[in-house]
Amino acid sequence: MRYPLVLLIPVGIVSASLTFFAPRDNGVKVVSTSVNFYDFELEKSQNGEQLYAMWCADCHGANGRDFIQRKWKLGSQQDDIQRIISNGYALLGMPAYGDVLDPNDIEDIATFLLDKASESPQFQSAPPQLIQASDLKLRANVIADGLATPWGMDFLNDSTLIFTEREGNLWAIEAGVKLPIRGLPEDFHVKGQGGLLDVMVWNDPEASTPWIYLTYSKSHPEDDKRSATAVIRGTLNRSDEGFSVPHWQTLMVATPYAKTHRHYGSRLAMGLDTMLYVTCGERGMRDVHPQTLETYPGKIHRLHPDGSVPSDNPFVNSPNAIPSIWSWGHRNPQGLFIHPETGAVWTHEHGPKGGDEINILKKGANYGWPEITFGRNYSGTIITRDTAKIGMEQPLHYWLPSIGACGMEVVLGEKWPLQWQNNLLVGSLSFEYLERLALDDSGRVINREKLLKGIGRVRDIARNSRGDIFVAVEGAASILHLEPIIED
Ligand code: HEC
């Protein structure tokens, strides 16, 4: 199957017209009482085969080719397959047949596909993981697997996911096919926590092609032992050869370059104010960067989409201050999202042994690291006894012990039940699960729940405009799509 999404439209039209010629009880023989069970099964399978040839072979190949040795993405049980045929799976480019085929026919096709899959002795099944949350059942569908270290995700549109691998690759998943995006820079510093980090898509209303923004740890041009968090952007090209970004502009380099390989921060988000927010970690130099306005690390920056500095940034008139700084006193912020309804800029940051925190950013605010913290050094020794100081913000929430927070999104949209609306999802690197946090109206955390326990280091979470939630996992080297199962 290498069919781009555009093909769905003509297929849809063909489907609609074929309905008239393929009614269920037209060509199929009536089962007489003398037909034994075996014949009945055979007939179902033949019916499935014929229907497959008529409806599915265009995309999936003749005689069930795609399903031989199938490693199922969306479930290998009869029920799973029937559900996919009936509802479709737009995210991967699979159309829905619930309105054009009757349930018995769908059952027959599913039987045919399962027969095909089991034809091969190497039949592998990967049933979706069913997750039982306290108040909801979820299915975790595998959208991509066998990855290196997936780090950042965003969407070109609702059914095309773009993601980075820290090792230096950028991919698009279009109609279920993983395609490389070529033309990347070559100065990634892939060491320690460094490499190609976040990705963001921005559809500039005034341009015809989308912008791709990347953050990465950039090697110093003359000394590749040193690196700095950098932000670049370029326009995405789509041609017969595939995706590429022919030219990149550098928008920001979070100088000074440093020899450490950690705390790059690096999350990107476009605000409702059409400003780009970029998180920069303090590079493991807590006594150098977070409490001065004269360097980039340990800050969250705010830029125009083209990288220029907005005139209403808080420190534009302070002598020696880096003018792109929006907030300061940060350790390693690796979670960032803009609430699509309120426009609030939510972040979290990775504390030491304790003291991961969630904050809603305020213009010019100092979040206190390392002068105030609820955390301790990894060795258990005290960093400071101070948890509050005048002029420094208190976190909205903090974790003790640290979960190793990475990636954050808010749950929204009609797919999700009421009690999930506005919940936060946060990845845990240390304990390898996805955390769900329920907040009250004032934004205080009132409930925490562990999902996907033991899945691996959860690196990023993304939500498309339809409310679909995606989770990038390092251990499982995969990207999962979480699908709520709402039972009637
Ligand atoms: C327009 C092209 C198209 C048509 C027509 C189509 N499919 Fe698909 N289908 C897809 C794509 C694309 C995927 C995602 C494939 C992937 O990720 O490998 C998919 C996925 C599936 C899956 C999920 C497989 C898994 O690994 O879990 C099933 C089952 C399936 N199709 C069955 C059918 C059946 C049965 C028909 C005919 C009634 C059909 N498809 C018609 C494009 C199509």
Side-chain angles (χ1 to χ4, degrees):
M1 255 155 335
R2 294 290 181 272
Y3 286 74
L5 284 182
V6 274
L7 282 186
L8 294 186
I9 299 155
V11 168
I13 295 166
V14 173
S15 304
S17 52
L18 273 177
T19 325
F20 300 106
F21 304 105
R24 158 154 181 84
D25 34 37
N26 203 3
V28 180
K29 280 174 282 167
V30 174
V31 181
S32 76
T33 43
S34 64
V35 174
N36 66 28
F37 180 71
Y38 174 76
D39 287 336
F40 179 66
E41 284 298 302
L42 186 69
E43 191 160 338
K44 280 177 75 61
S45 165
Q46 280 169 353
N47 183 41
E49 186 171 354
Q50 283 163 12
L51 289 164
Y52 176 90
M54 189 177 296
W55 297 97
C56 324
D58 273 358
C59 291
H60 287 295
N63 202 21
R65 191 190 59 220
D66 254 2
F67 295 93
I68 299 170
Q69 291 186 43
R70 182 85 194 174
K71 193 175 165 207
W72 300 92
K73 290 183 169 166
L74 309 172
S76 60
Q77 306 300 306
Q78 180 102 23
D79 280 358
D80 294 321
I81 296 167
Q82 285 172 211
R83 174 175 42 80
I84 297 301
I85 300 173
S86 179
N87 301 348
Y89 202 83
L91 279 166
L92 291 180
M94 165 67 193
Y97 290 89
D99 291 341
V100 288
L101 292 173
D102 98 18
N104 292 316
D105 284 344
I106 290 179
E107 191 185 320
D108 292 356
I109 303 176
T111 308
F112 168 72
L113 296 188
L114 277 171
D115 283 354
K116 277 286 146 194
S118 60
E119 232 173 46
S120 146
Q122 292 113 37
F123 173 53
Q124 287 179 309
S125 73
Q129 191 180 356
L130 283 182
I131 308 159
Q132 182 63 63
S134 55
D135 52 358
L136 180 69
K137 246 196 228 153
L138 299 156
R139 205 178 281 117
N141 300 318
V142 182
I143 297 297
D145 63 2
L147 307 177
T149 309
W151 209 97
M153 297 182 280
D154 202 0
F155 303 91
L156 208 51
N157 53 52
D158 280 341
S159 51
T160 308
L161 177 80
I162 291 195
F163 70 95
T164 61
E165 283 175 316
R166 193 172 57 75
E167 289 72 13
N169 305 308
L170 184 62
W171 301 98
I173 297 192
E174 192 182 55
V177 182
K178 193 174 111 192
L179 303 165
I181 300 179
R182 298 180 206 279
L184 299 185
E186 286 173 357
D187 54 352
F188 298 139
H189 187 83
V190 187
K191 270 198 187 138
Q193 298 170 2
L196 176 55
L197 302 170
D198 210 6
V199 56
M200 186 191 87
V201 177
W202 182 53
N203 289 302
D204 180 351
E206 278 157 31
S208 55
T209 42
W211 287 101
I212 304 294
Y213 288 75
L214 296 176
T215 52
Y216 69 105
S217 56
K218 178 186 174 70
S219 290
H220 188 283
E222 275 112 45
D223 171 11
D224 67 6
K225 289 197 175 54
R226 289 186 290 148
S227 61
T229 307
V231 184
I232 57 176
R233 75 164 184 177
T235 51
L236 185 68
N237 253 11
R238 179 74 159 110
S239 72
D240 292 346
E241 276 92 65
F243 289 113
S244 66
V245 179
H247 174 70
W248 293 98
Q249 306 167 351
T250 301
L251 307 188
M252 189 182 105
V253 180
T255 51
Y257 285 87
K259 283 195 171 151
T260 71
H261 309 302
R262 56 204 159 100
H263 298 187
Y264 292 99
S266 275
R267 289 292 174 202
L268 285 167
M270 188 65 79
L272 297 192
D273 53 359
T274 321
M275 295 291 177
L276 179 66
Y277 291 84
V278 186
T279 74
C280 283
E282 38 74 303
R283 304 301 314 284
M285 299 159 86
R286 71 178 196 211
D287 299 323
V288 178
H289 295 302
Q291 292 298 325
T292 171
L293 292 169
E294 295 179 18
T295 61
Y296 284 83
K299 322 286 168 10
I300 293 176
H301 299 265
R302 179 175 178 260
L303 301 167
H304 282 297
D306 66 0
S308 59
V309 173
S311 58
D312 61 344
N313 267 8
F315 303 111
V316 281
N317 297 319
S318 311
N320 302 328
I322 305 285
S324 57
I325 295 175
W326 184 251
S327 62
W328 52 315
H330 295 287
R331 186 173 180 272
N332 192 23
Q334 294 188 98
L336 173 70
F337 73 86
I338 311 291
H339 196 292
E341 284 153 14
T342 63
V345 183
W346 288 72
T347 63
H348 67 51
E349 64 186 75
H350 209 129
K353 193 182 165 68
D356 292 359
E357 28 182 88
I358 300 182
N359 294 297
I360 297 179
L361 288 194
K362 290 186 201 156
K363 176 178 180 175
N366 182 342
Y367 289 85
W369 175 253
E371 301 244 324
I372 57 168
T373 176
F374 291 89
R376 293 193 163 204
N377 283 315
Y378 287 108
S379 58
T381 55
I382 301 279
I383 298 169
T384 165
R385 288 190 191 282
D386 295 327
T387 55
K389 260 189 191 175
I390 289 173
M392 292 184 181
E393 293 299 313
Q394 284 296 295
L396 193 76
H397 174 73
Y398 65 90
W399 283 272
L400 202 68
S402 291
I403 63 165
C406 200
M408 174 164 62
E409 255 307 338
V410 59
V411 180
L412 286 171
E414 57 192 24
K415 289 191 176 160
W416 297 89
L418 189 63
Q419 65 276 18
W420 280 66
Q421 299 291 331
N422 276 305
N423 285 187
L424 303 183
L425 296 174
V426 175
S428 165
L429 295 172
S430 316
F431 301 128
E432 309 200 343
Y433 67 87
L434 178 68
E435 178 156 330
R436 169 191 176 199
L437 300 126
L439 313 174
D440 67 13
D441 289 344
S442 67
R444 231 155 277 285
V445 172
I446 48 170
N447 201 15
R448 297 173 53 195
E449 181 173 358
K450 289 183 185 176
L451 305 169
L452 296 171
K453 274 183 230 160
I455 186 82
R457 290 160 64 82
V458 175
R459 187 47 88 178
D460 197 21
I461 301 145
R463 178 179 47 77
N464 67 10
S465 62
R466 289 199 298 227
D468 292 306
I469 294 282
F470 295 81
V471 182
V473 189
E474 290 185 8
S478 58
I479 294 176
L480 307 176
H481 167 217
L482 297 190
E483 204 184 355
I485 305 174
I486 312 281
E487 272 146 10
D488 312 316

